[in-house]
Amino acid sequence: MAKVIITQTRSTIDRPERQKRTIQALGLGKINRSVEVEMTPQIAGMIDKVNHLVSVKEA
């Protein structure tokens, strides 16, 4: 599996609770915080749900 770097680019203020929990599950929570994770189908689905709040780069 390929590794990707996910960076939170927008705030979760005034977002649905589900999106806030998805951001937390990805290991994010503050703007400009980044995590490096394996690109699994589960992670891809999570990124798809909050793609307006994050940016994704290949590691």
Side-chain angles (χ1 to χ4, degrees), residues 29-47:
K30 293 186 177 182
I31 295 176
N32 292 326
R33 183 170 287 174
S34 297
V35 292
E36 184 174 337
V37 294
E38 291 283 338
M39 182 56 106
T40 63
Q42 294 82 6
I43 296 292
M46 293 166 77
I47 291 170

Side-chain angles (χ1 to χ4, degrees), residues 4-13 15 18-37 39 42-58:
V4 292
I5 298 172
I6 307 168
T7 304
Q8 185 175 346
T9 56
R10 297 192 65 197
S11 173
T12 57
I13 294 174
R15 300 291 175 186
R18 187 171 182 148
Q19 291 178 13
K20 292 179 184 180
R21 289 184 183 166
T22 302
I23 289 290
Q24 287 297 117
L26 286 170
L28 303 170
K30 293 186 177 182
I31 295 176
N32 292 326
R33 183 170 287 174
S34 297
V35 292
E36 184 174 337
V37 294
M39 182 56 106
Q42 294 82 6
I43 296 292
M46 293 166 77
I47 291 170
D48 190 47
K49 292 295 184 182
V50 294
N51 65 357
H52 56 288
L53 302 176
V54 299
S55 65
V56 182
K57 293 190 299 187
E58 292 204 18

